Amino acid sequence: MSKALIEIKKLTDQELIFIYRDRDKHTIPNLISKLALKKPYVKYSAYVIDHPLVSDPEIIIITDGSKKPLEVLEEVLNEAKIALNNLLKQIEELE
C-alpha cells in the first residue's frame, strides 16, 4: 500500500483546501467530504477533480468559524478509523 500525500493549497481559520495525492481518486476524498458535511459547524465540504487520469482531487472544508477546518479533518479521519475498525471486527467475528 502506497502512502498518500497531501499538499495544502489554502488554510485559514474557516477554510481548508488540500490536494490528496494517491492512486485512489474518489473513495477517501468522498468519505472525508461526506463525514464533514454531517458536522453542524461545517458550511461546505466537497472534493473536486478535473480529470481522474491526469489530476488529483482537491478536498475543501469550510466551517462557520466555531471550529477550525484542520480540527474538522482530524475528527472526520478519527470517525472513519473507528467505523472501519468496527466493520473489521464484525467481519472477523463471521470467520
Side-chain angles (χ1 to χ4, degrees):
M1 179 180 239
S2 65
K3 186 175 182 180
L5 300 173
I6 66 166
E7 175 188 328
I8 303 288
K9 285 187 69 179
K10 182 176 184 181
L11 179 60
T12 68
D13 285 344
Q14 293 182 306
E15 186 175 7
L16 169 63
I17 301 174
F18 67 96
I19 299 170
Y20 179 76
R21 300 191 191 282
D22 191 57
R23 287 187 298 167
D24 172 34
K25 304 288 186 190
H26 294 282
T27 307
I28 299 298
N30 187 50
L31 180 64
I32 290 169
S33 65
K34 297 296 184 199
L35 289 175
L37 280 173
K38 292 182 177 185
K39 307 293 181 194
Y41 35 82
V42 172
K43 292 171 41 177
Y44 178 81
S45 182
Y47 76 98
V48 180
I49 186 165
D50 291 332
H51 191 283
L53 296 178
V54 295
S55 61
D56 293 310
E58 287 185 6
I59 301 171
I60 304 155
I61 299 173
I62 300 174
T63 69
D64 62 8
S66 63
K67 190 162 266 204
K68 293 184 181 199
L70 277 177
E71 292 172 341
V72 173
L73 179 59
E74 187 176 344
E75 269 183 39
V76 163
L77 293 174
N78 283 329
E79 285 176 21
K81 182 179 177 181
I82 290 167
L84 291 170
N85 282 333
N86 287 337
L87 178 60
L88 182 59
K89 285 178 188 174
Q90 290 178 19
I91 291 170
E92 289 170 347
E93 289 173 1
L94 295 174
E95 295 176 349

